[in-house]
Amino acid sequence: MTVIAVLAEPPRPGLVLSDLAATSPLSEAAAADLYAAMLKDICVAVERSGGDLLVNYLPDDELPEELVGDTSAEAEIRALVADALGGTEDVRFEPQVGSTFAARAGNTVTHLLEEEAVHSAAVVRPVVPQLGRTHIDSAAMKLRSTPVVLGPSTEGRVHFAGFRDPIDFTDAYDTPEVQTLAERADEADLGLDYIPMLPVVETGADLATLVPMLRSRVASERVVPEHTTTFVFERGLRVEETDGVLELVVD
């Protein structure tokens, strides 16, 4: 069984999705609310899959001093996960360890594979709301025969990185992530496979890619990530053409 580690930060304005707030009509507070919605959706997807959910939260001592609140980061994230899943009895929570994202991801994956002897471990960030149960289960199936499985995204990013064997994680998420991770797998003489490309949401352009997809799926009565889609419709987000240019607008 694959352990899916969701590397999450408390959804606080100024901490999460700052680039999105700077490049879209969303305020930093709204961007934080979107992050919380996407975190809920990714936890639901993992819970419904055949994988085991591990929420790796960024602890208070790793937060900027001005963003440390009365509620701890762990408590805030636990409350969100409990709201999404109806409880946290089957969810494991662990603090992130490391000074960079690559270090934190590497520490988690290496510990799971080498110290806990799990069959495979994967890292996802809560910015890929369309990652669903079928994607996760497909990746787990591929990991039975292939040591590394990546989920590519736009601009060379990845939305999923699964491992049956560790790689050298030092700067492994350097841009372009999908190429750097593939090169590390090759250096370790590990086979590599992929799951379908999905959009991540980190900028205004990313959100402009996602919004029409969600509205299209709602119109065709297809499955959608509930919390993210609710956010999009309640905030009136849509993409419109203005002077020949597509742009994200808020009703």
Side-chain angles (χ1 to χ4, degrees), residues 1-8 42 46 49-56 92 96 101-102 104-114 116-126 128 131-133 135-144 146-151 158-167 169 173 181 193 195:
M1 189 172 292
T2 301
V3 177
I4 311 296
V6 178
L7 269 64
I42 193 64
V46 177
S49 76
D52 288 335
L53 175 59
L54 165 61
V55 178
N56 263 165
R92 177 177 170 185
Q96 296 177 23
F101 181 83
R104 294 191 287 269
N107 286 334
T108 295
V109 169
T110 302
H111 174 81
L112 289 169
L113 294 176
E114 296 187 345
E116 298 190 16
V118 303
H119 174 267
S120 53
V123 172
V124 298
R125 288 169 284 195
V128 54
L131 182 68
R133 174 187 59 80
H135 300 109
I136 296 168
D137 287 343
S138 174
M141 288 290 292
K142 289 178 181 289
L143 283 165
R144 292 183 181 182
T146 307
V148 179
V149 174
L150 301 178
V158 294
H159 64 78
F160 179 100
F163 306 89
R164 207 175 66 210
D165 297 292
I167 61 171
F169 279 96
Y173 278 80
L181 287 164
D193 203 348
I195 57 175

Side-chain angles (χ1 to χ4, degrees), residues 183-217:
E183 289 171 349
R184 295 300 171 82
D186 183 62
E187 290 167 4
D189 197 26
L190 298 175
L192 173 64
D193 203 348
Y194 299 88
I195 57 175
M197 177 180 285
L198 291 173
V200 296
V201 180
E202 297 176 315
T203 68
D206 295 336
L207 186 56
T209 297
L210 177 71
V211 166
M213 297 173 67
L214 294 183
R215 286 187 171 275
S216 171
R217 294 184 70 86

Side-chain angles (χ1 to χ4, degrees), residues 44-112:
V44 170
V46 177
E47 193 270 340
R48 290 176 177 172
S49 76
D52 288 335
L53 175 59
L54 165 61
V55 178
N56 263 165
Y57 61 89
L58 192 66
D60 291 298
D61 57 9
E62 293 292 337
L63 299 177
E65 184 176 350
E66 65 274 15
L67 294 177
V68 176
D70 295 333
T71 303
S72 71
E74 179 183 2
E76 188 172 355
I77 291 173
R78 278 182 177 271
L80 285 169
V81 176
D83 183 57
L85 303 182
T88 59
E89 294 81 4
D90 297 324
V91 183
R92 177 177 170 185
F93 292 85
E94 296 287 349
Q96 296 177 23
V97 177
S99 58
T100 66
F101 181 83
R104 294 191 287 269
N107 286 334
T108 295
V109 169
T110 302
H111 174 81
L112 289 169

Side-chain angles (χ1 to χ4, degrees), residues 41 44-45 48 128-135 198 210-230 233:
D41 283 328
V44 170
R48 290 176 177 172
V128 54
Q130 287 193 292
L131 182 68
R133 174 187 59 80
T134 56
H135 300 109
L198 291 173
L210 177 71
V211 166
M213 297 173 67
L214 294 183
R215 286 187 171 275
S216 171
R217 294 184 70 86
V218 169
S220 60
E221 299 183 348
R222 304 293 296 274
V223 174
V224 293
E226 175 187 355
H227 301 283
T228 304
T229 305
T230 298
F233 277 79

